[in-house]
Amino acid sequence: MGAASAAEAAALAKVVSRQRAELDRLRDSVATAAVLERAKGALMATTGSTPEAAHEALVRRAEAGNRTLLEECWLTLGALMPTAPPAPAPASEPPAPAGDRTSPAVPEAAEILGRLGRALVRVTSPRELAGTLLEHLAPGLGADAVLLYRRLPDNGLELVAEAGIDTALADQWRLVPPLSGFAPLEAIKAGEPLWLEHFTKDRQRYQLIGEPHGRWRSRAWLPMTAGGGTGTALGVLRADGSVFGPADRELLTAVARLCAGRLSTLDVPSPPVPSGFSGTVQSVLDALPGAVVLLTPLRSSTGAVEDYRIDAASPNAMDILGRTGHEMIGAHILESYPSVAGESLWQGYLKALGGEPYEGEPFVYEEIVAGVPLTATYSVRAARLGDGLLVSWLRHDTEERQEQRLADMQRLGNLGWANWNLVTRQVTWSPQVYTILGRDPGRGAVPLDLLPDLVLPEDAHTLARGIAELARTGRRLDVPFRIRSGNAVRHLRAVAEAVTAPDGTVVEVHGFVQDLTAQRSAELALVDSERAILVQRGVLDAERALAARLQHALLPLPSEPVRLCGLRVEVAYLPAQAGVHVGGDWFSAVELPGDAALFVVGDVAGHGVDAIATMAQLRFTAKGMVSTGSSLTGALARLNFLLLHSRDSQSTATLILARYEPAERRLVWAQAGHLPPLLVRDGEVRRLDRPEGMLLGACAEPHYESAEFRLEPGDRLLMYTDGLVERPGEDIDAGLDRLAEAVRTASPDSLAALLAAMLVGERRDDVCVLDIRVPLENEE
């Protein structure tokens, strides 16, 4: 696979991943909304309230009980009200053995209930419910197995779901007759939880699942009374034998209440079938197209129709919530679609039950899902079949919505689909193809073999050859080409594949045309930008090379320390490592007439050839003026005037001028905005106080002063540029302190050791250092 194919595959994988995540989110939203609507329907059926009043009642109950709205819906569907906290264990119970698991804190229990309530939305069967319970109760409660038993009409029990036990054991205890001493049945009959925490005593009193092996040493059985009155028991089994503390009991009681509502909405184990009649109808509906369901009326004791249950459904039936076919079986109309109550559709159902077929006018049905209204337009027919209703419907806006989505996709992707029938010569284009090709729809579509006539002549041959190969061999076509639209050229792409007859003959071609003008324009702009960058980089590299050669010619570095007027002078110059420019740092150490020496360190602002030219001008002018008798302050004033009035230079510079008289060992110095020299004497390092002086080129009338001091044998004087001490984000005083510390700790006889200590990592500026030492009297 090439790099382009790999990149395309990776991009598609990311799109699929995002779409799957969005699909999961939408499924959760729809399922959550369905739970809310069922709970509202249950309240409306029991209280006769409106949908709005039922919703407000659920919200008030949730707030009063400090529960989420989803948890309150499950509780409402389970027809259970919150119970008092469980009583503590009797005083006769022995304390928990050492090593028993600590009961979870209340915030942890609330967190478990919150996560469980959200997870229940995805549960679609009792088996999934048992697995979900074990998943959420195992970490905090130490649960090893979960069982759900349903009470049968003969007071026997049926194991409807289990998790954490093996299949053989579950089958052995699947159906249990009405035995005395069977804990799940006892819990259902008493309506109270049973806490079996003392294995030796419990095995003598109760029939325990998994005995005589003693796999689970402690058990809890809690009644789950659903809305229909059918009893179900929740069993939680633990291997560690610890007791269920107060927090454990409170958590499990809340879990049983919470899950009772969800269990009441599940098929246990299959949808209720009133008789063989609905099974026969289902067999017929399985072969029918369209949306058809069989409704069985649910009547009160007086015979009035209170609701309808869906007992059969065709495979293609789909409601507004997205449930299809068999997913709808067992659902109640008012629980699933509460806003139908009292509407004309409801009255039509009642008339159809009386024997008068009902065919309603198209109407708009609306559901609120996750706070977002969903609307659809339906036409419904209903006719009596036996004691029930056979209902069919047609959703009018499905096709229009699909067409609108396809049009939106073509518009947003700037592409359109096309179809060519090579047998009938029929050509069909979507409206977007006409827009992309700039063709008037009134002129009609173009046959496949004439499509190259629309493109630029230089691209027509490539497109024609691809079309001929597609029509002859069925080979897939994917060709970029250009067309002229007005005064502009547009970049397009055609992708097509063939439909062949059994003998391999191509009979039809379908594909799409896409406008890639914006993408191609961006690519060309990027290429132009990269080309300009390369040209500019070449210019900068040439400038750097020239500046480096000029700098090397103007600042020849001595290979070893030199003697000047009795002083030992060592020079270091290190160019910057970052960037492509050469800086304007410079130095000068020369002998003057009259047995004196001149020391200069300067730094010109900027980089490149201009900085080097300014540096050369200052270096030679300063040397000439001081050599001809100018004072140091006078030389600085003239250099400032030179920078201000030079046509070729608009830069500034800092500078130190120092004149040394060996007879008196006197050093006179002046500065223009430069860092102070560093004096090392008798092991003490200090910065010299700077005389007044502004940087060169900053103002027309600066004031410069000079200072002097006497050098003693053994003294060391460092003059340097700011590249030695500056670091990004660091105050300059901190850099000067680092330099003083490095001078104290580095080898006193090596300038290289000092530079190594100061210059760590990449340098962003040039570094220039003059290391001036006064020899001791016993040194040569």
Side-chain angles (χ1 to χ4, degrees):
M1 181 182 291
S5 299
E8 184 176 354
L12 289 174
K14 291 181 180 178
V15 171
V16 171
S17 178
R18 289 196 299 269
Q19 289 177 340
R20 284 178 175 172
E22 179 64 13
L23 181 59
D24 289 341
R25 186 189 67 78
L26 291 175
R27 284 174 175 169
D28 286 349
S29 298
V30 170
T32 302
V35 174
L36 176 59
E37 294 303 322
R38 289 193 183 106
K40 286 166 55 179
L43 277 185
M44 293 166 59
T46 56
T47 64
S49 59
T50 64
E52 293 78 10
H55 185 274
E56 293 177 0
L58 288 171
V59 172
R60 287 196 303 271
R61 289 183 183 181
E63 292 176 350
N66 195 25
R67 292 182 291 272
T68 67
L69 183 58
L70 183 59
E71 293 171 354
E72 186 61 41
C73 289
W74 291 131
L75 293 175
T76 300
L77 291 173
L80 290 173
M81 298 303 292
T83 61
S92 60
E93 298 282 3
D100 277 351
R101 188 188 52 79
T102 303
S103 296
V106 173
E108 180 183 349
E111 183 179 352
I112 292 175
L113 286 173
R115 290 197 303 266
L116 179 59
R118 293 187 294 271
L120 290 179
V121 171
R122 288 175 173 249
V123 170
T124 59
S125 68
R127 182 173 294 274
E128 290 185 13
L129 175 60
T132 300
L133 283 171
L134 183 59
E135 176 185 352
H136 287 77
L137 296 180
L141 200 69
D144 296 296
V146 170
L147 296 88
L148 294 174
Y149 268 105
R150 181 182 63 169
R151 188 177 186 177
L152 299 175
D154 62 353
N155 279 332
L157 291 181
E158 178 187 8
L159 181 62
V160 296
E162 73 285 340
I165 70 173
D166 56 82
T167 305
L169 183 61
D171 291 340
Q172 179 183 350
W173 291 86
R174 183 73 59 190
L175 293 174
V176 181
L179 301 174
S180 61
F182 190 55
L185 184 58
E186 298 290 336
I188 293 175
K189 289 180 176 180
E192 296 290 340
L194 279 180
W195 310 102
L196 309 184
E197 301 164 321
H198 308 286
F199 181 72
T200 303
K201 294 181 180 179
D202 294 334
R203 68 188 302 182
Q204 297 174 359
R205 180 178 177 183
Y206 295 102
Q207 298 284 340
L208 300 182
I209 297 175
E211 290 312 304
H213 304 292
R215 178 177 175 183
W216 298 290
R217 311 293 291 186
S218 63
R219 306 152 191 254
W221 290 99
L222 302 99
M224 301 169 63
T225 306
T230 301
T232 305
L234 165 64
V236 178
L237 283 59
R238 300 195 306 201
D240 62 2
S242 59
V243 301
F244 293 91
D248 291 341
R249 297 186 178 195
E250 183 176 358
L251 172 61
L252 286 178
T253 303
V255 167
R257 293 199 310 269
L258 189 64
C259 294
R262 186 63 182 119
L263 186 62
S264 68
T265 66
L266 298 176
D267 298 333
V268 185
S270 59
V273 178
S275 66
F277 173 74
S278 61
T280 303
V281 174
Q282 181 63 61
S283 299
V284 176
L285 296 187
D286 285 339
L288 291 181
V292 186
V293 297
L294 174 66
L295 300 184
T296 298
L298 304 178
R299 301 178 183 271
S300 66
S301 57
T302 63
V305 177
E306 293 183 331
D307 203 347
Y308 295 89
R309 184 181 64 238
I310 300 176
D311 281 341
S314 63
N316 293 328
M318 183 174 68
D319 64 7
I320 194 171
L321 299 178
R323 294 179 299 183
T324 60
H326 291 186
E327 295 177 351
M328 303 169 62
I329 296 177
H332 292 191
I333 295 299
L334 289 184
E335 288 183 2
S336 300
Y337 322 105
S339 57
V340 171
E343 297 293 332
S344 59
L345 179 62
W346 185 267
Q347 302 302 325
Y349 284 174
L350 295 177
K351 291 181 180 180
L353 279 177
E356 179 183 348
Y358 167 74
E359 183 173 354
E361 295 292 331
F363 69 96
V364 177
Y365 182 77
E366 178 177 303
E367 284 281 356
I368 306 297
V369 177
V372 179
L374 299 179
T375 60
T377 302
Y378 294 95
S379 291
V380 178
R381 295 180 178 181
R384 182 168 181 171
L385 181 63
D387 293 333
L389 288 178
L390 196 64
V391 178
S392 64
W393 67 88
L394 177 65
R395 184 168 177 172
H396 297 284
D397 56 348
T398 302
E399 184 176 349
E400 290 85 347
R401 290 176 65 187
Q402 293 296 337
E403 291 180 355
Q404 182 60 45
R405 289 172 181 171
L406 180 60
D408 291 342
M409 180 186 69
Q410 294 181 81
R411 176 178 52 81
L412 294 174
N414 210 358
L415 57 84
W417 60 266
N419 186 83
W420 292 272
N421 190 311
L422 304 186
V423 178
T424 64
R425 301 290 292 177
Q426 182 180 1
V427 183
T428 306
W429 284 0
S430 69
Q432 193 69 16
V433 175
Y434 291 96
T435 302
I436 292 173
L437 294 176
R439 184 174 178 83
D440 183 2
R443 299 176 61 187
V446 175
L448 183 62
D449 55 348
L450 298 182
L451 190 62
D453 295 342
L454 303 180
V455 309
L456 293 182
E458 48 267 42
D459 294 342
H461 176 70
T462 302
L463 181 58
R465 184 173 57 191
I467 291 174
E469 185 73 12
L470 172 67
R472 184 173 59 87
T473 66
R475 183 177 180 180
R476 184 175 181 268
L477 172 73
D478 190 343
V479 177
F481 60 91
R482 294 168 293 172
I483 65 171
R484 185 170 296 280
S485 177
N487 296 326
V489 173
R490 297 168 65 184
H491 297 264
L492 309 181
R493 175 194 180 201
V495 178
E497 62 181 8
V499 178
T500 59
D503 62 357
T505 304
V506 177
V507 296
E508 189 174 355
V509 173
H510 57 258
F512 66 86
V513 179
Q514 186 176 17
D515 190 345
L516 302 177
T517 303
Q519 176 182 338
R520 184 59 178 160
S521 299
E523 292 173 353
L524 294 176
L526 180 60
V527 171
D528 292 340
S529 177
E530 290 176 347
R531 185 180 298 112
I533 290 174
L534 290 175
V535 172
Q536 182 64 23
R537 186 174 185 86
V539 172
L540 293 176
D541 288 343
E543 180 181 333
R544 175 180 173 84
L546 175 60
R549 287 195 296 270
L550 287 174
Q551 189 178 57
H552 182 70
L554 296 172
L555 288 177
L557 288 173
S559 58
E560 58 184 18
V562 299
R563 293 285 183 170
L564 189 62
C565 294
L567 301 175
R568 178 183 179 275
V569 180
E570 188 173 0
V571 179
Y573 179 82
L574 300 174
Q577 293 178 337
V580 297
H581 296 299
V582 176
D585 291 20
W586 56 285
F587 67 92
S588 185
V590 297
E591 189 172 349
L592 297 174
D595 194 22
L598 175 66
F599 300 104
V600 188
V601 171
D603 186 359
V604 177
H607 300 83
V609 176
D610 291 340
I612 298 299
T614 303
M615 176 269 288
Q617 189 179 32
L618 293 177
R619 183 173 187 267
F620 292 114
T621 302
K623 178 181 177 181
M625 285 190 295
V626 177
S627 298
T628 56
S630 295
S631 65
L632 300 182
T633 56
L636 289 176
R638 290 182 178 87
L639 291 174
N640 180 73
F641 182 85
L642 178 66
L643 276 185
L644 283 175
H645 296 83
S646 175
R647 293 182 179 180
D648 300 329
S649 176
Q650 300 295 327
S651 64
T652 59
T654 64
L655 192 66
I656 285 184
L657 290 175
R659 182 186 180 102
Y660 177 65
E661 302 291 345
E664 305 171 355
R665 291 205 296 271
R666 183 168 59 96
L667 185 78
V668 180
W669 69 288
Q671 62 87 30
H674 204 85
L675 296 174
L678 207 64
L679 177 63
V680 183
R681 176 175 291 173
D682 297 332
E684 181 184 353
V685 182
R686 68 181 181 93
R687 295 178 233 163
L688 298 181
D689 294 331
R690 294 193 305 171
E692 185 177 349
M694 182 175 292
L695 78 164
L696 304 178
C699 79
E701 296 182 358
H703 177 69
Y704 296 103
E705 294 182 354
S706 62
E708 64 177 74
F709 64 94
R710 178 183 173 87
L711 289 175
E712 302 292 341
D715 283 355
R716 182 183 184 187
L717 185 68
L718 289 175
M719 301 169 64
Y720 49 89
T721 57
D722 55 8
L724 181 65
V725 296
E726 284 187 341
R727 285 185 180 176
E730 183 182 68
D731 185 81
I732 189 64
D733 287 332
L736 293 174
D737 292 339
R738 281 192 299 105
L739 176 59
E741 182 63 24
V743 170
R744 278 191 290 267
T745 57
S747 173
D749 298 326
S750 173
L751 180 57
L754 174 62
L755 295 177
M758 288 296 296
L759 304 176
V760 178
E762 187 178 66
R763 296 186 298 278
R764 299 190 178 186
D765 200 358
D766 292 357
V767 175
C768 184
V769 181
L770 276 180
D771 187 358
I772 304 169
R773 301 170 186 253
V774 182
L776 297 173
E777 294 180 356
N778 58 357
E779 293 180 346
E780 295 182 359

